[in-house]
mmCIF file of all heavy atoms in Angstrom:
data_model
loop_
_atom_site.group_PDB
_atom_site.id
_atom_site.type_symbol
_atom_site.label_atom_id
_atom_site.label_comp_id
_atom_site.label_asym_id
_atom_site.label_seq_id
_atom_site.Cartn_x
_atom_site.Cartn_y
_atom_site.Cartn_z
ATOM 1 N N ILE Q 30 -22.753 -16.493 6.414
ATOM 2 C CA ILE Q 30 -22.358 -15.915 5.125
ATOM 3 C C ILE Q 30 -22.883 -14.486 4.990
ATOM 4 O O ILE Q 30 -22.263 -13.645 4.345
ATOM 5 C CB ILE Q 30 -22.831 -16.812 3.956
ATOM 6 C CG1 ILE Q 30 -21.960 -18.067 3.910
ATOM 7 C CG2 ILE Q 30 -22.823 -16.072 2.635
ATOM 8 C CD1 ILE Q 30 -22.470 -19.142 2.962
ATOM 9 N N LYS Q 31 -24.012 -14.195 5.622
ATOM 10 C CA LYS Q 31 -24.558 -12.841 5.604
ATOM 11 C C LYS Q 31 -23.909 -11.979 6.696
ATOM 12 O O LYS Q 31 -23.430 -10.882 6.421
ATOM 13 C CB LYS Q 31 -26.072 -12.885 5.813
ATOM 14 C CG LYS Q 31 -26.707 -11.506 5.935
ATOM 15 C CD LYS Q 31 -28.119 -11.593 6.492
ATOM 16 C CE LYS Q 31 -28.763 -10.269 6.711
ATOM 17 N NZ LYS Q 31 -28.173 -9.430 7.746
ATOM 18 N N GLU Q 32 -23.898 -12.479 7.922
ATOM 19 C CA GLU Q 32 -23.485 -11.672 9.065
ATOM 20 C C GLU Q 32 -21.999 -11.321 9.089
ATOM 21 O O GLU Q 32 -21.642 -10.168 9.326
ATOM 22 C CB GLU Q 32 -23.820 -12.389 10.376
ATOM 23 C CG GLU Q 32 -25.260 -12.398 10.741
ATOM 24 C CD GLU Q 32 -25.514 -13.153 12.034
ATOM 25 O OE1 GLU Q 32 -24.578 -13.784 12.578
ATOM 26 O OE2 GLU Q 32 -26.660 -13.112 12.501
ATOM 27 N N VAL Q 33 -21.147 -12.315 8.906
ATOM 28 C CA VAL Q 33 -19.709 -12.089 9.080
ATOM 29 C C VAL Q 33 -19.171 -11.022 8.127
ATOM 30 O O VAL Q 33 -18.532 -10.061 8.580
ATOM 31 C CB VAL Q 33 -18.912 -13.411 8.996
ATOM 32 C CG1 VAL Q 33 -17.416 -13.164 8.968
ATOM 33 C CG2 VAL Q 33 -19.271 -14.319 10.173
ATOM 34 N N PRO Q 34 -19.428 -11.128 6.813
ATOM 35 C CA PRO Q 34 -18.913 -10.065 5.927
ATOM 36 C C PRO Q 34 -19.506 -8.685 6.239
ATOM 37 O O PRO Q 34 -18.798 -7.683 6.192
ATOM 38 C CB PRO Q 34 -19.321 -10.524 4.527
ATOM 39 C CG PRO Q 34 -19.571 -11.979 4.643
ATOM 40 C CD PRO Q 34 -20.040 -12.215 6.040
ATOM 41 N N GLU Q 35 -20.800 -8.638 6.561
ATOM 42 C CA GLU Q 35 -21.421 -7.353 6.895
ATOM 43 C C GLU Q 35 -20.806 -6.767 8.157
ATOM 44 O O GLU Q 35 -20.536 -5.568 8.243
ATOM 45 C CB GLU Q 35 -22.936 -7.507 7.071
ATOM 46 C CG GLU Q 35 -23.684 -7.684 5.777
ATOM 47 C CD GLU Q 35 -25.186 -7.821 5.983
ATOM 48 O OE1 GLU Q 35 -25.662 -7.918 7.141
ATOM 49 O OE2 GLU Q 35 -25.911 -7.842 4.969
ATOM 50 N N PHE Q 36 -20.602 -7.623 9.177
ATOM 51 C CA PHE Q 36 -20.042 -7.164 10.444
ATOM 52 C C PHE Q 36 -18.635 -6.619 10.227
ATOM 53 O O PHE Q 36 -18.298 -5.517 10.667
ATOM 54 C CB PHE Q 36 -20.034 -8.302 11.469
ATOM 55 C CG PHE Q 36 -19.761 -7.844 12.873
ATOM 56 C CD1 PHE Q 36 -20.784 -7.363 13.667
ATOM 57 C CD2 PHE Q 36 -18.476 -7.892 13.405
ATOM 58 C CE1 PHE Q 36 -20.542 -6.942 14.962
ATOM 59 C CE2 PHE Q 36 -18.229 -7.477 14.695
ATOM 60 C CZ PHE Q 36 -19.257 -6.991 15.481
ATOM 61 N N PHE Q 37 -17.808 -7.402 9.527
ATOM 62 C CA PHE Q 37 -16.429 -6.966 9.292
ATOM 63 C C PHE Q 37 -16.378 -5.734 8.385
ATOM 64 O O PHE Q 37 -15.545 -4.850 8.599
ATOM 65 C CB PHE Q 37 -15.573 -8.105 8.749
ATOM 66 C CG PHE Q 37 -14.957 -8.938 9.828
ATOM 67 C CD1 PHE Q 37 -15.683 -9.939 10.459
ATOM 68 C CD2 PHE Q 37 -13.652 -8.713 10.248
ATOM 69 C CE1 PHE Q 37 -15.128 -10.700 11.472
ATOM 70 C CE2 PHE Q 37 -13.086 -9.471 11.270
ATOM 71 C CZ PHE Q 37 -13.819 -10.465 11.883
ATOM 72 N N ALA Q 38 -17.261 -5.642 7.403
ATOM 73 C CA ALA Q 38 -17.284 -4.469 6.518
ATOM 74 C C ALA Q 38 -17.655 -3.209 7.303
ATOM 75 O O ALA Q 38 -17.030 -2.153 7.135
ATOM 76 C CB ALA Q 38 -18.257 -4.688 5.362
ATOM 77 N N ALA Q 39 -18.666 -3.321 8.165
ATOM 78 C CA ALA Q 39 -19.067 -2.173 8.983
ATOM 79 C C ALA Q 39 -17.942 -1.779 9.927
ATOM 80 O O ALA Q 39 -17.639 -0.590 10.091
ATOM 81 C CB ALA Q 39 -20.336 -2.502 9.770
ATOM 82 N N ARG Q 40 -17.320 -2.765 10.543
ATOM 83 C CA ARG Q 40 -16.211 -2.482 11.455
ATOM 84 C C ARG Q 40 -14.996 -1.957 10.694
ATOM 85 O O ARG Q 40 -14.243 -1.149 11.222
ATOM 86 C CB ARG Q 40 -15.853 -3.719 12.281
ATOM 87 C CG ARG Q 40 -16.955 -4.191 13.230
ATOM 88 C CD ARG Q 40 -17.299 -3.126 14.258
ATOM 89 N NE ARG Q 40 -18.512 -3.414 14.971
ATOM 90 C CZ ARG Q 40 -18.571 -3.692 16.270
ATOM 91 N NH1 ARG Q 40 -17.495 -3.715 16.993
ATOM 92 N NH2 ARG Q 40 -19.732 -3.919 16.835
ATOM 93 N N LEU Q 41 -14.815 -2.395 9.471
ATOM 94 C CA LEU Q 41 -13.722 -1.889 8.648
ATOM 95 C C LEU Q 41 -13.944 -0.401 8.349
ATOM 96 O O LEU Q 41 -13.003 0.400 8.401
ATOM 97 C CB LEU Q 41 -13.615 -2.694 7.359
ATOM 98 C CG LEU Q 41 -12.358 -2.517 6.530
ATOM 99 C CD1 LEU Q 41 -11.108 -2.844 7.326
ATOM 100 C CD2 LEU Q 41 -12.425 -3.413 5.295
ATOM 101 N N PHE Q 42 -15.195 -0.042 8.076
ATOM 102 C CA PHE Q 42 -15.515 1.369 7.863
ATOM 103 C C PHE Q 42 -15.165 2.184 9.108
ATOM 104 O O PHE Q 42 -14.528 3.240 9.011
ATOM 105 C CB PHE Q 42 -16.998 1.543 7.506
ATOM 106 C CG PHE Q 42 -17.408 2.984 7.393
ATOM 107 C CD1 PHE Q 42 -17.075 3.723 6.271
ATOM 108 C CD2 PHE Q 42 -18.110 3.599 8.418
ATOM 109 C CE1 PHE Q 42 -17.436 5.067 6.169
ATOM 110 C CE2 PHE Q 42 -18.478 4.935 8.326
ATOM 111 C CZ PHE Q 42 -18.140 5.665 7.198
ATOM 112 N N SER Q 43 -15.572 1.697 10.275
ATOM 113 C CA SER Q 43 -15.277 2.450 11.495
ATOM 114 C C SER Q 43 -13.774 2.442 11.795
ATOM 115 O O SER Q 43 -13.251 3.384 12.388
ATOM 116 C CB SER Q 43 -16.102 1.952 12.686
ATOM 117 O OG SER Q 43 -15.804 0.624 13.009
ATOM 118 N N LEU Q 44 -13.059 1.398 11.373
ATOM 119 C CA LEU Q 44 -11.597 1.387 11.513
ATOM 120 C C LEU Q 44 -10.987 2.511 10.674
ATOM 121 O O LEU Q 44 -10.084 3.220 11.138
ATOM 122 C CB LEU Q 44 -11.005 0.042 11.089
ATOM 123 C CG LEU Q 44 -9.473 0.007 11.007
ATOM 124 C CD1 LEU Q 44 -8.843 0.153 12.394
ATOM 125 C CD2 LEU Q 44 -9.012 -1.277 10.343
ATOM 126 N N PHE Q 45 -11.474 2.699 9.438
ATOM 127 C CA PHE Q 45 -10.962 3.784 8.602
ATOM 128 C C PHE Q 45 -11.241 5.145 9.241
ATOM 129 O O PHE Q 45 -10.394 6.042 9.191
ATOM 130 C CB PHE Q 45 -11.538 3.718 7.189
ATOM 131 C CG PHE Q 45 -10.969 2.608 6.359
ATOM 132 C CD1 PHE Q 45 -11.806 1.743 5.680
ATOM 133 C CD2 PHE Q 45 -9.600 2.412 6.257
ATOM 134 C CE1 PHE Q 45 -11.283 0.713 4.908
ATOM 135 C CE2 PHE Q 45 -9.062 1.392 5.490
ATOM 136 C CZ PHE Q 45 -9.911 0.533 4.806
ATOM 137 N N VAL Q 46 -12.405 5.286 9.862
ATOM 138 C CA VAL Q 46 -12.717 6.524 10.577
ATOM 139 C C VAL Q 46 -11.703 6.715 11.709
ATOM 140 O O VAL Q 46 -11.140 7.802 11.887
ATOM 141 C CB VAL Q 46 -14.164 6.509 11.128
ATOM 142 C CG1 VAL Q 46 -14.401 7.663 12.090
ATOM 143 C CG2 VAL Q 46 -15.172 6.532 9.982
ATOM 144 N N GLU Q 47 -11.446 5.643 12.461
ATOM 145 C CA GLU Q 47 -10.511 5.726 13.589
ATOM 146 C C GLU Q 47 -9.073 5.963 13.109
ATOM 147 O O GLU Q 47 -8.368 6.811 13.657
ATOM 148 C CB GLU Q 47 -10.586 4.448 14.430
ATOM 149 C CG GLU Q 47 -9.710 4.501 15.657
ATOM 150 C CD GLU Q 47 -9.864 3.285 16.542
ATOM 151 O OE1 GLU Q 47 -10.075 2.170 16.010
ATOM 152 O OE2 GLU Q 47 -9.763 3.454 17.756
ATOM 153 N N GLU Q 48 -8.630 5.222 12.105
ATOM 154 C CA GLU Q 48 -7.268 5.396 11.586
ATOM 155 C C GLU Q 48 -7.078 6.818 11.056
ATOM 156 O O GLU Q 48 -6.062 7.453 11.327
ATOM 157 C CB GLU Q 48 -6.986 4.390 10.461
ATOM 158 C CG GLU Q 48 -6.749 2.978 10.941
ATOM 159 C CD GLU Q 48 -5.350 2.752 11.476
ATOM 160 O OE1 GLU Q 48 -4.390 2.667 10.693
ATOM 161 O OE2 GLU Q 48 -5.215 2.655 12.710
ATOM 162 N N GLY Q 49 -8.050 7.298 10.297
ATOM 163 C CA GLY Q 49 -7.968 8.666 9.782
ATOM 164 C C GLY Q 49 -7.945 9.689 10.906
ATOM 165 O O GLY Q 49 -7.191 10.666 10.864
ATOM 166 N N GLY Q 50 -8.763 9.443 11.917
ATOM 167 C CA GLY Q 50 -8.796 10.343 13.076
ATOM 168 C C GLY Q 50 -7.490 10.320 13.851
ATOM 169 O O GLY Q 50 -6.987 11.366 14.277
ATOM 170 N N LEU Q 51 -6.924 9.118 14.049
ATOM 171 C CA LEU Q 51 -5.631 9.017 14.736
ATOM 172 C C LEU Q 51 -4.552 9.771 13.962
ATOM 173 O O LEU Q 51 -3.778 10.535 14.546
ATOM 174 C CB LEU Q 51 -5.220 7.552 14.911
ATOM 175 C CG LEU Q 51 -5.861 6.787 16.047
ATOM 176 C CD1 LEU Q 51 -5.487 5.315 15.974
ATOM 177 C CD2 LEU Q 51 -5.454 7.366 17.391
ATOM 178 N N TRP Q 52 -4.499 9.532 12.671
ATOM 179 C CA TRP Q 52 -3.512 10.221 11.844
ATOM 180 C C TRP Q 52 -3.686 11.736 11.947
ATOM 181 O O TRP Q 52 -2.719 12.478 12.122
ATOM 182 C CB TRP Q 52 -3.655 9.749 10.388
ATOM 183 C CG TRP Q 52 -2.821 10.531 9.432
ATOM 184 C CD1 TRP Q 52 -1.484 10.391 9.201
ATOM 185 C CD2 TRP Q 52 -3.273 11.595 8.600
ATOM 186 N NE1 TRP Q 52 -1.078 11.319 8.260
ATOM 187 C CE2 TRP Q 52 -2.163 12.065 7.876
ATOM 188 C CE3 TRP Q 52 -4.509 12.193 8.386
ATOM 189 C CZ2 TRP Q 52 -2.258 13.100 6.962
ATOM 190 C CZ3 TRP Q 52 -4.598 13.224 7.476
ATOM 191 C CH2 TRP Q 52 -3.480 13.662 6.772
ATOM 192 N N LEU Q 53 -4.940 12.193 11.860
ATOM 193 C CA LEU Q 53 -5.222 13.624 11.940
ATOM 194 C C LEU Q 53 -4.801 14.195 13.294
ATOM 195 O O LEU Q 53 -4.071 15.188 13.367
ATOM 196 C CB LEU Q 53 -6.715 13.879 11.690
ATOM 197 C CG LEU Q 53 -7.160 15.333 11.734
ATOM 198 C CD1 LEU Q 53 -6.577 16.102 10.555
ATOM 199 C CD2 LEU Q 53 -8.689 15.405 11.703
ATOM 200 N N PHE Q 54 -5.257 13.555 14.392
ATOM 201 C CA PHE Q 54 -4.958 14.066 15.733
ATOM 202 C C PHE Q 54 -3.474 13.983 16.079
ATOM 203 O O PHE Q 54 -2.912 14.911 16.648
ATOM 204 C CB PHE Q 54 -5.765 13.321 16.799
ATOM 205 C CG PHE Q 54 -7.231 13.673 16.818
ATOM 206 C CD1 PHE Q 54 -8.174 12.695 17.050
ATOM 207 C CD2 PHE Q 54 -7.674 14.969 16.610
ATOM 208 C CE1 PHE Q 54 -9.531 12.996 17.070
ATOM 209 C CE2 PHE Q 54 -9.022 15.287 16.636
ATOM 210 C CZ PHE Q 54 -9.954 14.291 16.874
ATOM 211 N N VAL Q 55 -2.847 12.851 15.758
ATOM 212 C CA VAL Q 55 -1.454 12.636 16.172
ATOM 213 C C VAL Q 55 -0.474 13.304 15.207
ATOM 214 O O VAL Q 55 0.373 14.098 15.624
ATOM 215 C CB VAL Q 55 -1.155 11.124 16.316
ATOM 216 C CG1 VAL Q 55 0.318 10.889 16.607
ATOM 217 C CG2 VAL Q 55 -2.023 10.513 17.415
ATOM 218 N N ASP Q 56 -0.580 12.983 13.936
ATOM 219 C CA ASP Q 56 0.418 13.469 12.982
ATOM 220 C C ASP Q 56 0.184 14.916 12.539
ATOM 221 O O ASP Q 56 1.142 15.637 12.263
ATOM 222 C CB ASP Q 56 0.461 12.573 11.742
ATOM 223 C CG ASP Q 56 1.035 11.203 12.043
ATOM 224 O OD1 ASP Q 56 1.662 11.034 13.107
ATOM 225 O OD2 ASP Q 56 0.860 10.287 11.218
ATOM 226 N N LYS Q 57 -1.044 15.329 12.447
ATOM 227 C CA LYS Q 57 -1.324 16.670 11.934
ATOM 228 C C LYS Q 57 -1.607 17.698 13.030
ATOM 229 O O LYS Q 57 -1.307 18.864 12.878
ATOM 230 C CB LYS Q 57 -2.501 16.640 10.941
ATOM 231 C CG LYS Q 57 -2.196 15.827 9.689
ATOM 232 C CD LYS Q 57 -1.019 16.428 8.970
ATOM 233 C CE LYS Q 57 -0.567 15.597 7.804
ATOM 234 N NZ LYS Q 57 0.694 16.062 7.242
ATOM 235 N N MET Q 58 -2.220 17.260 14.132
ATOM 236 C CA MET Q 58 -2.587 18.209 15.186
ATOM 237 C C MET Q 58 -1.661 18.127 16.404
ATOM 238 O O MET Q 58 -1.853 18.871 17.363
ATOM 239 C CB MET Q 58 -4.052 17.993 15.591
ATOM 240 C CG MET Q 58 -5.024 18.278 14.457
ATOM 241 S SD MET Q 58 -6.739 17.873 14.855
ATOM 242 C CE MET Q 58 -7.104 19.060 16.121
ATOM 243 N N GLY Q 59 -0.697 17.196 16.400
ATOM 244 C CA GLY Q 59 0.301 17.125 17.459
ATOM 245 C C GLY Q 59 -0.194 16.691 18.824
ATOM 246 O O GLY Q 59 0.258 17.198 19.850
ATOM 247 N N PHE Q 60 -1.108 15.733 18.873
ATOM 248 C CA PHE Q 60 -1.657 15.286 20.150
ATOM 249 C C PHE Q 60 -0.614 14.682 21.093
ATOM 250 O O PHE Q 60 -0.859 14.583 22.285
ATOM 251 C CB PHE Q 60 -2.790 14.276 19.923
ATOM 252 C CG PHE Q 60 -4.169 14.861 20.050
ATOM 253 C CD1 PHE Q 60 -4.530 15.967 19.299
ATOM 254 C CD2 PHE Q 60 -5.101 14.316 20.906
ATOM 255 C CE1 PHE Q 60 -5.792 16.515 19.390
ATOM 256 C CE2 PHE Q 60 -6.366 14.848 21.017
ATOM 257 C CZ PHE Q 60 -6.719 15.961 20.257
ATOM 258 N N ASP Q 61 0.538 14.269 20.581
ATOM 259 C CA ASP Q 61 1.557 13.685 21.465
ATOM 260 C C ASP Q 61 2.067 14.679 22.503
ATOM 261 O O ASP Q 61 2.673 14.300 23.491
ATOM 262 C CB ASP Q 61 2.719 13.112 20.652
ATOM 263 C CG ASP Q 61 2.478 11.668 20.260
ATOM 264 O OD1 ASP Q 61 1.621 11.013 20.892
ATOM 265 O OD2 ASP Q 61 3.143 11.199 19.331
ATOM 266 N N GLU Q 62 1.831 15.948 22.298
ATOM 267 C CA GLU Q 62 2.216 16.967 23.275
ATOM 268 C C GLU Q 62 1.382 16.867 24.554
ATOM 269 O O GLU Q 62 1.748 17.456 25.572
ATOM 270 C CB GLU Q 62 2.037 18.361 22.672
ATOM 271 C CG GLU Q 62 2.929 18.625 21.480
ATOM 272 C CD GLU Q 62 2.619 19.961 20.821
ATOM 273 O OE1 GLU Q 62 1.954 20.818 21.450
ATOM 274 O OE2 GLU Q 62 3.031 20.137 19.667
#
C-alpha cells in the first residue's frame, strides 16, 4: 500500500518528463529529420 502508489507516482512524474521531452524534441525541434 505504501510502495506501489509511490513507485507509480514517481514513475508517472518521470513519464511526464519523457512525454514532454519527446513532444519538444519531435514536434517542436524536428528530430525526425
Side-chain angles (χ1 to χ4, degrees):
I30 287 170
K31 175 195 177 294
E32 286 179 353
V33 172
E35 286 181 353
F36 193 84
F37 272 81
R40 296 299 167 114
L41 193 58
F42 175 77
S43 63
L44 171 67
F45 287 130
V46 169
E47 184 176 35
E48 285 281 286
L51 280 173
W52 172 79
L53 180 68
F54 287 142
V55 174
D56 291 344
K57 296 299 174 189
M58 296 174 67
F60 259 54
D61 271 341
E62 297 174 17

